PDB file of all heavy atoms in Angstrom:
ATOM      1  N   GLY A  17      -8.808   4.640  -9.799  1.00 92.00           N
ATOM      2  CA  GLY A  17      -8.521   4.097  -8.486  1.00 92.00           C
ATOM      3  C   GLY A  17      -8.327   2.591  -8.460  1.00 92.00           C
ATOM      4  O   GLY A  17      -8.424   1.985  -7.388  1.00 92.00           O
ATOM      5  N   ILE A  18      -8.061   1.962  -9.594  1.00 95.00           N
ATOM      6  CA  ILE A  18      -7.808   0.529  -9.638  1.00 95.00           C
ATOM      7  C   ILE A  18      -6.429   0.250  -9.051  1.00 95.00           C
ATOM      8  O   ILE A  18      -5.460   0.927  -9.391  1.00 95.00           O
ATOM      9  CB  ILE A  18      -7.905   0.001 -11.074  1.00 95.00           C
ATOM     10  CG1 ILE A  18      -9.295   0.285 -11.646  1.00 95.00           C
ATOM     11  CG2 ILE A  18      -7.610  -1.491 -11.121  1.00 95.00           C
ATOM     12  CD1 ILE A  18      -9.427  -0.041 -13.117  1.00 95.00           C
ATOM     13  N   THR A  19      -6.358  -0.751  -8.191  1.00 97.00           N
ATOM     14  CA  THR A  19      -5.131  -1.019  -7.457  1.00 97.00           C
ATOM     15  C   THR A  19      -4.505  -2.345  -7.840  1.00 97.00           C
ATOM     16  O   THR A  19      -5.186  -3.281  -8.272  1.00 97.00           O
ATOM     17  CB  THR A  19      -5.391  -1.007  -5.946  1.00 97.00           C
ATOM     18  OG1 THR A  19      -6.382  -2.000  -5.632  1.00 97.00           O
ATOM     19  CG2 THR A  19      -5.889   0.354  -5.500  1.00 97.00           C
ATOM     20  N   TYR A  20      -3.194  -2.426  -7.651  1.00 98.00           N
ATOM     21  CA  TYR A  20      -2.413  -3.629  -7.906  1.00 98.00           C
ATOM     22  C   TYR A  20      -1.394  -3.771  -6.787  1.00 98.00           C
ATOM     23  O   TYR A  20      -0.845  -2.781  -6.307  1.00 98.00           O
ATOM     24  CB  TYR A  20      -1.699  -3.554  -9.255  1.00 98.00           C
ATOM     25  CG  TYR A  20      -2.632  -3.348 -10.421  1.00 98.00           C
ATOM     26  CD1 TYR A  20      -3.011  -2.066 -10.806  1.00 98.00           C
ATOM     27  CD2 TYR A  20      -3.143  -4.430 -11.128  1.00 98.00           C
ATOM     28  CE1 TYR A  20      -3.878  -1.869 -11.862  1.00 98.00           C
ATOM     29  CE2 TYR A  20      -4.008  -4.241 -12.189  1.00 98.00           C
ATOM     30  CZ  TYR A  20      -4.376  -2.956 -12.552  1.00 98.00           C
ATOM     31  OH  TYR A  20      -5.237  -2.767 -13.604  1.00 98.00           O
ATOM     32  N   TYR A  21      -1.140  -5.017  -6.386  1.00 98.00           N
ATOM     33  CA  TYR A  21      -0.232  -5.272  -5.291  1.00 98.00           C
ATOM     34  C   TYR A  21       0.713  -6.416  -5.613  1.00 98.00           C
ATOM     35  O   TYR A  21       0.350  -7.370  -6.295  1.00 98.00           O
ATOM     36  CB  TYR A  21      -0.996  -5.641  -4.018  1.00 98.00           C
ATOM     37  CG  TYR A  21      -1.886  -4.548  -3.502  1.00 98.00           C
ATOM     38  CD1 TYR A  21      -3.231  -4.502  -3.851  1.00 98.00           C
ATOM     39  CD2 TYR A  21      -1.386  -3.564  -2.656  1.00 98.00           C
ATOM     40  CE1 TYR A  21      -4.057  -3.496  -3.373  1.00 98.00           C
ATOM     41  CE2 TYR A  21      -2.205  -2.561  -2.180  1.00 98.00           C
ATOM     42  CZ  TYR A  21      -3.538  -2.529  -2.539  1.00 98.00           C
ATOM     43  OH  TYR A  21      -4.351  -1.533  -2.060  1.00 98.00           O
ATOM     44  N   ALA A  22       1.913  -6.306  -5.091  1.00 97.00           N
ATOM     45  CA  ALA A  22       2.828  -7.431  -5.125  1.00 97.00           C
ATOM     46  C   ALA A  22       2.335  -8.513  -4.174  1.00 97.00           C
ATOM     47  O   ALA A  22       1.712  -8.221  -3.149  1.00 97.00           O
ATOM     48  CB  ALA A  22       4.235  -6.987  -4.739  1.00 97.00           C
ATOM     49  N   ASP A  23       2.616  -9.766  -4.504  1.00 97.00           N
ATOM     50  CA  ASP A  23       2.156 -10.873  -3.670  1.00 97.00           C
ATOM     51  C   ASP A  23       2.669 -10.758  -2.235  1.00 97.00           C
ATOM     52  O   ASP A  23       1.987 -11.167  -1.295  1.00 97.00           O
ATOM     53  CB  ASP A  23       2.591 -12.208  -4.270  1.00 97.00           C
ATOM     54  CG  ASP A  23       1.834 -12.560  -5.532  1.00 97.00           C
ATOM     55  OD1 ASP A  23       0.750 -11.981  -5.758  1.00 97.00           O
ATOM     56  OD2 ASP A  23       2.319 -13.411  -6.298  1.00 97.00           O
ATOM     57  N   SER A  24       3.846 -10.200  -2.065  1.00 96.00           N
ATOM     58  CA  SER A  24       4.457 -10.131  -0.751  1.00 96.00           C
ATOM     59  C   SER A  24       3.726  -9.203   0.215  1.00 96.00           C
ATOM     60  O   SER A  24       3.929  -9.307   1.429  1.00 96.00           O
ATOM     61  CB  SER A  24       5.919  -9.691  -0.874  1.00 96.00           C
ATOM     62  OG  SER A  24       6.014  -8.414  -1.485  1.00 96.00           O
ATOM     63  N   VAL A  25       2.878  -8.312  -0.303  1.00 97.00           N
ATOM     64  CA  VAL A  25       2.201  -7.351   0.563  1.00 97.00           C
ATOM     65  C   VAL A  25       0.690  -7.441   0.495  1.00 97.00           C
ATOM     66  O   VAL A  25       0.000  -6.717   1.227  1.00 97.00           O
ATOM     67  CB  VAL A  25       2.641  -5.905   0.248  1.00 97.00           C
ATOM     68  CG1 VAL A  25       4.152  -5.775   0.349  1.00 97.00           C
ATOM     69  CG2 VAL A  25       2.150  -5.475  -1.129  1.00 97.00           C
ATOM     70  N   LYS A  26       0.149  -8.309  -0.333  1.00 97.00           N
ATOM     71  CA  LYS A  26      -1.300  -8.445  -0.445  1.00 97.00           C
ATOM     72  C   LYS A  26      -1.914  -8.819   0.901  1.00 97.00           C
ATOM     73  O   LYS A  26      -1.422  -9.687   1.608  1.00 97.00           O
ATOM     74  CB  LYS A  26      -1.666  -9.506  -1.484  1.00 97.00           C
ATOM     75  CG  LYS A  26      -1.510  -9.058  -2.916  1.00 97.00           C
ATOM     76  CD  LYS A  26      -1.941 -10.144  -3.893  1.00 97.00           C
ATOM     77  CE  LYS A  26      -1.805  -9.684  -5.321  1.00 97.00           C
ATOM     78  NZ  LYS A  26      -2.187 -10.746  -6.285  1.00 97.00           N
ATOM     79  N   GLY A  27      -2.988  -8.128   1.245  1.00 97.00           N
ATOM     80  CA  GLY A  27      -3.651  -8.359   2.517  1.00 97.00           C
ATOM     81  C   GLY A  27      -3.073  -7.577   3.665  1.00 97.00           C
ATOM     82  O   GLY A  27      -3.691  -7.515   4.737  1.00 97.00           O
ATOM     83  N   ARG A  28      -1.898  -6.977   3.483  1.00 98.00           N
ATOM     84  CA  ARG A  28      -1.251  -6.204   4.542  1.00 98.00           C
ATOM     85  C   ARG A  28      -1.144  -4.724   4.211  1.00 98.00           C
ATOM     86  O   ARG A  28      -1.278  -3.884   5.094  1.00 98.00           O
ATOM     87  CB  ARG A  28       0.149  -6.750   4.833  1.00 98.00           C
ATOM     88  CG  ARG A  28       0.165  -8.193   5.303  1.00 98.00           C
ATOM     89  CD  ARG A  28       1.549  -8.595   5.793  1.00 98.00           C
ATOM     90  NE  ARG A  28       2.553  -8.510   4.735  1.00 98.00           N
ATOM     91  CZ  ARG A  28       3.656  -7.773   4.812  1.00 98.00           C
ATOM     92  NH1 ARG A  28       3.898  -7.063   5.914  1.00 98.00           N
ATOM     93  NH2 ARG A  28       4.526  -7.763   3.816  1.00 98.00           N
ATOM     94  N   PHE A  29      -0.889  -4.405   2.943  1.00 98.00           N
ATOM     95  CA  PHE A  29      -0.716  -3.021   2.507  1.00 98.00           C
ATOM     96  C   PHE A  29      -1.921  -2.580   1.686  1.00 98.00           C
ATOM     97  O   PHE A  29      -2.511  -3.377   0.950  1.00 98.00           O
ATOM     98  CB  PHE A  29       0.535  -2.863   1.644  1.00 98.00           C
ATOM     99  CG  PHE A  29       1.843  -3.050   2.373  1.00 98.00           C
ATOM    100  CD1 PHE A  29       1.885  -3.520   3.675  1.00 98.00           C
ATOM    101  CD2 PHE A  29       3.033  -2.748   1.731  1.00 98.00           C
ATOM    102  CE1 PHE A  29       3.090  -3.695   4.328  1.00 98.00           C
ATOM    103  CE2 PHE A  29       4.243  -2.914   2.380  1.00 98.00           C
ATOM    104  CZ  PHE A  29       4.277  -3.386   3.674  1.00 98.00           C
ATOM    105  N   THR A  30      -2.271  -1.306   1.789  1.00 98.00           N
ATOM    106  CA  THR A  30      -3.359  -0.731   1.018  1.00 98.00           C
ATOM    107  C   THR A  30      -2.918   0.596   0.424  1.00 98.00           C
ATOM    108  O   THR A  30      -2.464   1.478   1.152  1.00 98.00           O
ATOM    109  CB  THR A  30      -4.612  -0.512   1.880  1.00 98.00           C
ATOM    110  OG1 THR A  30      -5.033  -1.747   2.460  1.00 98.00           O
ATOM    111  CG2 THR A  30      -5.746   0.042   1.022  1.00 98.00           C
ATOM    112  N   ILE A  31      -3.048   0.728  -0.889  1.00 98.00           N
ATOM    113  CA  ILE A  31      -2.722   1.978  -1.559  1.00 98.00           C
ATOM    114  C   ILE A  31      -4.009   2.747  -1.829  1.00 98.00           C
ATOM    115  O   ILE A  31      -5.043   2.157  -2.154  1.00 98.00           O
ATOM    116  CB  ILE A  31      -1.938   1.729  -2.866  1.00 98.00           C
ATOM    117  CG1 ILE A  31      -1.415   3.047  -3.448  1.00 98.00           C
ATOM    118  CG2 ILE A  31      -2.779   0.978  -3.885  1.00 98.00           C
ATOM    119  CD1 ILE A  31      -0.444   2.859  -4.612  1.00 98.00           C
ATOM    120  N   SER A  32      -3.964   4.050  -1.681  1.00 97.00           N
ATOM    121  CA  SER A  32      -5.122   4.897  -1.933  1.00 97.00           C
ATOM    122  C   SER A  32      -4.650   6.241  -2.458  1.00 97.00           C
ATOM    123  O   SER A  32      -3.461   6.563  -2.384  1.00 97.00           O
ATOM    124  CB  SER A  32      -5.964   5.074  -0.663  1.00 97.00           C
ATOM    125  OG  SER A  32      -5.210   5.687   0.369  1.00 97.00           O
ATOM    126  N   ARG A  33      -5.597   7.011  -2.997  1.00 93.00           N
ATOM    127  CA  ARG A  33      -5.217   8.314  -3.530  1.00 93.00           C
ATOM    128  C   ARG A  33      -6.281   9.358  -3.219  1.00 93.00           C
ATOM    129  O   ARG A  33      -7.445   9.047  -2.968  1.00 93.00           O
ATOM    130  CB  ARG A  33      -4.953   8.238  -5.037  1.00 93.00           C
ATOM    131  CG  ARG A  33      -6.128   8.557  -5.971  1.00 93.00           C
ATOM    132  CD  ARG A  33      -7.199   7.515  -5.948  1.00 93.00           C
ATOM    133  NE  ARG A  33      -8.088   7.633  -7.106  1.00 93.00           N
ATOM    134  CZ  ARG A  33      -9.351   7.235  -7.103  1.00 93.00           C
ATOM    135  NH1 ARG A  33      -9.878   6.675  -6.009  1.00 93.00           N
ATOM    136  NH2 ARG A  33     -10.085   7.375  -8.205  1.00 93.00           N
ATOM    137  N   ASP A  34      -5.848  10.610  -3.223  1.00 89.00           N
ATOM    138  CA  ASP A  34      -6.718  11.763  -3.069  1.00 89.00           C
ATOM    139  C   ASP A  34      -6.487  12.623  -4.303  1.00 89.00           C
ATOM    140  O   ASP A  34      -5.498  13.346  -4.384  1.00 89.00           O
ATOM    141  CB  ASP A  34      -6.393  12.525  -1.791  1.00 89.00           C
ATOM    142  CG  ASP A  34      -7.354  13.662  -1.523  1.00 89.00           C
ATOM    143  OD1 ASP A  34      -7.942  14.206  -2.477  1.00 89.00           O
ATOM    144  OD2 ASP A  34      -7.524  14.022  -0.344  1.00 89.00           O
ATOM    145  N   ASN A  35      -7.390  12.536  -5.269  1.00 82.00           N
ATOM    146  CA  ASN A  35      -7.204  13.231  -6.539  1.00 82.00           C
ATOM    147  C   ASN A  35      -7.131  14.751  -6.372  1.00 82.00           C
ATOM    148  O   ASN A  35      -6.367  15.416  -7.069  1.00 82.00           O
ATOM    149  CB  ASN A  35      -8.339  12.886  -7.506  1.00 82.00           C
ATOM    150  CG  ASN A  35      -8.263  11.467  -8.018  1.00 82.00           C
ATOM    151  OD1 ASN A  35      -7.423  10.679  -7.590  1.00 82.00           O
ATOM    152  ND2 ASN A  35      -9.145  11.135  -8.954  1.00 82.00           N
ATOM    153  N   ALA A  36      -7.923  15.283  -5.461  1.00 84.00           N
ATOM    154  CA  ALA A  36      -7.960  16.726  -5.273  1.00 84.00           C
ATOM    155  C   ALA A  36      -6.640  17.269  -4.743  1.00 84.00           C
ATOM    156  O   ALA A  36      -6.246  18.389  -5.080  1.00 84.00           O
ATOM    157  CB  ALA A  36      -9.104  17.115  -4.340  1.00 84.00           C
ATOM    158  N   LYS A  37      -5.964  16.493  -3.917  1.00 86.00           N
ATOM    159  CA  LYS A  37      -4.716  16.933  -3.308  1.00 86.00           C
ATOM    160  C   LYS A  37      -3.480  16.396  -4.020  1.00 86.00           C
ATOM    161  O   LYS A  37      -2.358  16.729  -3.630  1.00 86.00           O
ATOM    162  CB  LYS A  37      -4.674  16.530  -1.837  1.00 86.00           C
ATOM    163  CG  LYS A  37      -5.728  17.188  -0.982  1.00 86.00           C
ATOM    164  CD  LYS A  37      -5.576  16.802   0.471  1.00 86.00           C
ATOM    165  CE  LYS A  37      -4.264  17.304   1.037  1.00 86.00           C
ATOM    166  NZ  LYS A  37      -4.125  17.001   2.489  1.00 86.00           N
ATOM    167  N   ASN A  38      -3.678  15.563  -5.044  1.00 85.00           N
ATOM    168  CA  ASN A  38      -2.562  14.950  -5.771  1.00 85.00           C
ATOM    169  C   ASN A  38      -1.628  14.204  -4.821  1.00 85.00           C
ATOM    170  O   ASN A  38      -0.401  14.374  -4.850  1.00 85.00           O
ATOM    171  CB  ASN A  38      -1.784  16.001  -6.564  1.00 85.00           C
ATOM    172  CG  ASN A  38      -2.563  16.544  -7.737  1.00 85.00           C
ATOM    173  OD1 ASN A  38      -3.403  15.860  -8.316  1.00 85.00           O
ATOM    174  ND2 ASN A  38      -2.290  17.786  -8.094  1.00 85.00           N
ATOM    175  N   THR A  39      -2.226  13.381  -3.981  1.00 91.00           N
ATOM    176  CA  THR A  39      -1.450  12.586  -3.046  1.00 91.00           C
ATOM    177  C   THR A  39      -1.836  11.119  -3.147  1.00 91.00           C
ATOM    178  O   THR A  39      -2.955  10.777  -3.511  1.00 91.00           O
ATOM    179  CB  THR A  39      -1.649  13.056  -1.599  1.00 91.00           C
ATOM    180  OG1 THR A  39      -3.036  12.953  -1.247  1.00 91.00           O
ATOM    181  CG2 THR A  39      -1.186  14.493  -1.417  1.00 91.00           C
ATOM    182  N   VAL A  40      -0.900  10.265  -2.822  1.00 94.00           N
ATOM    183  CA  VAL A  40      -1.140   8.839  -2.750  1.00 94.00           C
ATOM    184  C   VAL A  40      -0.557   8.341  -1.439  1.00 94.00           C
ATOM    185  O   VAL A  40       0.502   8.811  -1.004  1.00 94.00           O
ATOM    186  CB  VAL A  40      -0.530   8.094  -3.954  1.00 94.00           C
ATOM    187  CG1 VAL A  40       0.983   8.257  -3.995  1.00 94.00           C
ATOM    188  CG2 VAL A  40      -0.918   6.620  -3.934  1.00 94.00           C
ATOM    189  N   SER A  41      -1.259   7.411  -0.801  1.00 97.00           N
ATOM    190  CA  SER A  41      -0.835   6.895   0.489  1.00 97.00           C
ATOM    191  C   SER A  41      -0.662   5.393   0.427  1.00 97.00           C
ATOM    192  O   SER A  41      -1.239   4.713  -0.417  1.00 97.00           O
ATOM    193  CB  SER A  41      -1.852   7.259   1.574  1.00 97.00           C
ATOM    194  OG  SER A  41      -1.976   8.660   1.721  1.00 97.00           O
ATOM    195  N   LEU A  42       0.150   4.890   1.331  1.00 98.00           N
ATOM    196  CA  LEU A  42       0.346   3.457   1.480  1.00 98.00           C
ATOM    197  C   LEU A  42       0.187   3.114   2.952  1.00 98.00           C
ATOM    198  O   LEU A  42       1.048   3.462   3.765  1.00 98.00           O
ATOM    199  CB  LEU A  42       1.724   3.029   0.982  1.00 98.00           C
ATOM    200  CG  LEU A  42       1.990   1.521   0.993  1.00 98.00           C
ATOM    201  CD1 LEU A  42       1.140   0.829  -0.073  1.00 98.00           C
ATOM    202  CD2 LEU A  42       3.470   1.228   0.760  1.00 98.00           C
ATOM    203  N   GLN A  43      -0.923   2.476   3.284  1.00 98.00           N
ATOM    204  CA  GLN A  43      -1.153   2.010   4.639  1.00 98.00           C
ATOM    205  C   GLN A  43      -0.527   0.635   4.782  1.00 98.00           C
ATOM    206  O   GLN A  43      -0.900  -0.298   4.067  1.00 98.00           O
ATOM    207  CB  GLN A  43      -2.651   1.948   4.945  1.00 98.00           C
ATOM    208  CG  GLN A  43      -2.988   1.436   6.336  1.00 98.00           C
ATOM    209  CD  GLN A  43      -2.517   2.370   7.419  1.00 98.00           C
ATOM    210  OE1 GLN A  43      -2.699   3.582   7.320  1.00 98.00           O
ATOM    211  NE2 GLN A  43      -1.904   1.817   8.452  1.00 98.00           N
ATOM    212  N   MET A  44       0.413   0.502   5.699  1.00 98.00           N
ATOM    213  CA  MET A  44       1.150  -0.730   5.890  1.00 98.00           C
ATOM    214  C   MET A  44       0.815  -1.298   7.260  1.00 98.00           C
ATOM    215  O   MET A  44       1.113  -0.685   8.282  1.00 98.00           O
ATOM    216  CB  MET A  44       2.654  -0.493   5.761  1.00 98.00           C
ATOM    217  CG  MET A  44       3.058   0.165   4.448  1.00 98.00           C
ATOM    218  SD  MET A  44       4.851   0.287   4.250  1.00 98.00           S
ATOM    219  CE  MET A  44       5.229   1.433   5.587  1.00 98.00           C
ATOM    220  N   ASN A  45       0.198  -2.464   7.263  1.00 98.00           N
ATOM    221  CA  ASN A  45      -0.168  -3.150   8.494  1.00 98.00           C
ATOM    222  C   ASN A  45       0.580  -4.472   8.598  1.00 98.00           C
ATOM    223  O   ASN A  45       1.107  -4.984   7.612  1.00 98.00           O
ATOM    224  CB  ASN A  45      -1.678  -3.403   8.542  1.00 98.00           C
ATOM    225  CG  ASN A  45      -2.498  -2.140   8.514  1.00 98.00           C
ATOM    226  OD1 ASN A  45      -2.106  -1.114   9.070  1.00 98.00           O
ATOM    227  ND2 ASN A  45      -3.661  -2.206   7.877  1.00 98.00           N
ATOM    228  N   SER A  46       0.594  -5.025   9.795  1.00 98.00           N
ATOM    229  CA  SER A  46       1.257  -6.306  10.044  1.00 98.00           C
ATOM    230  C   SER A  46       2.669  -6.326   9.487  1.00 98.00           C
ATOM    231  O   SER A  46       3.081  -7.267   8.800  1.00 98.00           O
ATOM    232  CB  SER A  46       0.425  -7.451   9.447  1.00 98.00           C
ATOM    233  OG  SER A  46      -0.873  -7.478   9.992  1.00 98.00           O
ATOM    234  N   LEU A  47       3.411  -5.291   9.782  1.00 98.00           N
ATOM    235  CA  LEU A  47       4.756  -5.151   9.228  1.00 98.00           C
ATOM    236  C   LEU A  47       5.694  -6.238   9.741  1.00 98.00           C
ATOM    237  O   LEU A  47       5.607  -6.661  10.892  1.00 98.00           O
ATOM    238  CB  LEU A  47       5.311  -3.773   9.552  1.00 98.00           C
ATOM    239  CG  LEU A  47       4.741  -2.644   8.690  1.00 98.00           C
ATOM    240  CD1 LEU A  47       5.029  -1.296   9.320  1.00 98.00           C
ATOM    241  CD2 LEU A  47       5.314  -2.716   7.281  1.00 98.00           C
ATOM    242  N   LYS A  48       6.591  -6.658   8.860  1.00 97.00           N
ATOM    243  CA  LYS A  48       7.574  -7.681   9.151  1.00 97.00           C
ATOM    244  C   LYS A  48       8.976  -7.103   8.995  1.00 97.00           C
ATOM    245  O   LYS A  48       9.169  -6.138   8.257  1.00 97.00           O
ATOM    246  CB  LYS A  48       7.417  -8.869   8.191  1.00 97.00           C
ATOM    247  CG  LYS A  48       6.018  -9.458   8.130  1.00 97.00           C
ATOM    248  CD  LYS A  48       5.929 -10.501   7.032  1.00 97.00           C
ATOM    249  CE  LYS A  48       4.538 -11.080   6.921  1.00 97.00           C
ATOM    250  NZ  LYS A  48       4.444 -12.084   5.824  1.00 97.00           N
ATOM    251  N   PRO A  49       9.971  -7.685   9.662  1.00 97.00           N
ATOM    252  CA  PRO A  49      11.341  -7.193   9.493  1.00 97.00           C
ATOM    253  C   PRO A  49      11.785  -7.164   8.036  1.00 97.00           C
ATOM    254  O   PRO A  49      12.549  -6.271   7.650  1.00 97.00           O
ATOM    255  CB  PRO A  49      12.175  -8.176  10.320  1.00 97.00           C
ATOM    256  CG  PRO A  49      11.236  -8.629  11.388  1.00 97.00           C
ATOM    257  CD  PRO A  49       9.893  -8.714  10.714  1.00 97.00           C
ATOM    258  N   GLU A  50      11.330  -8.102   7.222  1.00 96.00           N
ATOM    259  CA  GLU A  50      11.701  -8.125   5.819  1.00 96.00           C
ATOM    260  C   GLU A  50      11.086  -6.990   5.011  1.00 96.00           C
ATOM    261  O   GLU A  50      11.427  -6.813   3.840  1.00 96.00           O
ATOM    262  CB  GLU A  50      11.353  -9.475   5.172  1.00 96.00           C
ATOM    263  CG  GLU A  50       9.923  -9.921   5.415  1.00 96.00           C
ATOM    264  CD  GLU A  50       9.810 -10.896   6.573  1.00 96.00           C
ATOM    265  OE1 GLU A  50      10.440 -10.658   7.619  1.00 96.00           O
ATOM    266  OE2 GLU A  50       9.085 -11.906   6.423  1.00 96.00           O
ATOM    267  N   ASP A  51      10.185  -6.223   5.610  1.00 98.00           N
ATOM    268  CA  ASP A  51       9.650  -5.036   4.960  1.00 98.00           C
ATOM    269  C   ASP A  51      10.602  -3.849   5.075  1.00 98.00           C
ATOM    270  O   ASP A  51      10.354  -2.805   4.463  1.00 98.00           O
ATOM    271  CB  ASP A  51       8.296  -4.647   5.554  1.00 98.00           C
ATOM    272  CG  ASP A  51       7.219  -5.672   5.264  1.00 98.00           C
ATOM    273  OD1 ASP A  51       7.176  -6.196   4.133  1.00 98.00           O
ATOM    274  OD2 ASP A  51       6.402  -5.944   6.175  1.00 98.00           O
ATOM    275  N   THR A  52      11.646  -3.983   5.856  1.00 98.00           N
ATOM    276  CA  THR A  52      12.610  -2.908   6.038  1.00 98.00           C
ATOM    277  C   THR A  52      13.262  -2.543   4.708  1.00 98.00           C
ATOM    278  O   THR A  52      13.825  -3.402   4.021  1.00 98.00           O
ATOM    279  CB  THR A  52      13.686  -3.309   7.051  1.00 98.00           C
ATOM    280  OG1 THR A  52      13.081  -3.515   8.327  1.00 98.00           O
ATOM    281  CG2 THR A  52      14.754  -2.230   7.167  1.00 98.00           C
ATOM    282  N   ALA A  53      13.177  -1.275   4.332  1.00 98.00           N
ATOM    283  CA  ALA A  53      13.710  -0.812   3.060  1.00 98.00           C
ATOM    284  C   ALA A  53      13.486   0.687   2.947  1.00 98.00           C
ATOM    285  O   ALA A  53      12.797   1.293   3.771  1.00 98.00           O
ATOM    286  CB  ALA A  53      13.031  -1.530   1.889  1.00 98.00           C
TER     287      ALA A  53
END
């Protein structure tokens, strides 16, 4: 569960995983127009 982030999203995005369900999530807060992609 060790995480790494790009500088552009540090403090705003959070990655997490659920090992039992084989899923990974990305919580994105304080979104900016430049996050559009």
Side-chain angles (χ1 to χ4, degrees):
I18 301 173
T19 59
Y20 302 87
Y21 297 94
D23 289 341
S24 60
V25 304
K26 284 182 179 178
R28 299 189 298 123
F29 292 9
T30 302
I31 189 171
S32 61
R33 93 290 197 207
D34 185 333
N35 289 6
K37 296 183 64 177
N38 290 331
T39 60
V40 62
S41 298
L42 185 70
Q43 179 66 45
M44 305 186 294
N45 299 325
S46 302
L47 283 164
K48 307 173 182 179
E50 51 263 44
D51 293 319
T52 296

